[in-house]
Amino acid sequence: MAMMLDESEASDAELIGRAKGGDRGAFGKLLERHYDFVYRAAYRWCGRKADAEDIAQEVCVRLGKAIRDYRGGSAFTTWLYAMTVNAARDMMRKTARETVKTEAYGVHALISGEAPAESEDPAEALWVVVRQLPDKQRDAVMLVYGEGLSHAAAAEAMAISETTVSWHIHEAKKRLKTLTRSAGEV
């Protein structure tokens, strides 16, 4: 008698195959397995818990529609990371449009009278500065240092060459040095 694998022991490839076939349980297990990864990437990208939660939820919805298009040419997490970054960028564009509309009508969403509290965590302070980098530099730094990917895996996620990732990292380090000095955080 053949033993069946429990869903928790099924590989991503097996779960993806079953999810493509309409198995909601497999899709749910896939989401459960990778939700923390998506949330963590979204948080590093935007720096706000509420926005990261919104982005992660958007990725879950998009994944439900896009899972059938996954071809397996790259690691599932690479594909999922690209989906997360796209959702984060979409959210930032939407937020920027809404901000312009709000300012055009003279309505300010958050009037507090005091400056936001500064983070006491030096790592979080660094991620705040990383989020100020140009898109490609920021993505390279987040993939390599935030997610611990190799330059080759980051290149695959960003759809660029490995040497270009290395160049973006190099340029980001120079820019971060300048940004942290100007902020008085050597």
Side-chain angles (χ1 to χ4, degrees):
M1 184 157 109
M3 278 186 71
M4 296 211 41
L5 286 176
D6 181 12
E7 277 190 354
S8 64
E9 298 173 15
S11 70
D12 281 352
E14 291 171 306
L15 292 175
I16 291 166
R18 290 176 24 209
K20 283 182 173 186
D23 183 337
R24 291 177 183 217
F27 181 76
K29 186 62 186 172
L30 200 58
L31 282 178
E32 182 182 320
R33 186 177 286 175
H34 294 285
Y35 184 84
D36 288 343
F37 167 78
V38 170
Y39 174 81
R40 188 176 62 247
Y43 183 81
R44 284 205 179 103
W45 215 89
C46 69
R48 290 176 299 280
K49 183 179 177 186
D51 289 347
E53 290 169 350
D54 289 345
I55 292 166
Q57 289 301 313
E58 178 64 22
V59 170
C60 291
V61 170
R62 289 182 184 188
L63 184 60
K65 296 174 185 174
I67 192 74
R68 287 182 174 87
D69 296 332
Y70 177 68
R71 301 286 179 238
S74 62
F76 181 68
T77 52
T78 301
W79 185 73
L80 197 54
Y81 183 82
M83 188 180 293
T84 303
V85 168
N86 287 334
R89 286 183 178 150
D90 290 347
M91 177 183 232
M92 289 184 74
R93 281 191 291 269
K94 180 181 177 188
T95 301
R97 284 191 306 268
E98 289 173 358
T99 300
V100 167
K101 288 178 189 176
T102 300
E103 289 174 357
Y105 290 106
V107 178
H108 298 283
L110 298 172
I111 300 175
S112 65
E114 22 179 289
E118 300 225 0
S119 173
E120 293 181 25
D121 180 11
E124 182 53 34
L126 180 60
W127 286 114
V128 167
V129 178
V130 166
R131 286 189 277 285
Q132 296 174 20
L133 293 171
D135 289 349
K136 295 288 187 179
Q137 290 176 16
R138 179 187 55 236
D139 291 351
V141 168
M142 288 187 173
L143 285 168
V144 172
Y145 294 105
E147 298 304 321
L149 296 179
S150 67
H151 285 214
E156 187 177 337
M158 295 174 69
I160 58 177
S161 73
E162 187 174 345
T163 54
T164 303
V165 168
S166 298
W167 181 81
H168 284 306
I169 295 285
H170 174 74
E171 290 299 309
K173 286 179 179 179
K174 289 191 319 190
R175 189 171 295 231
L176 285 170
K177 192 173 189 178
T178 302
L179 288 171
T180 55
R181 279 190 181 148
S182 67
E185 305 172 2
V186 178

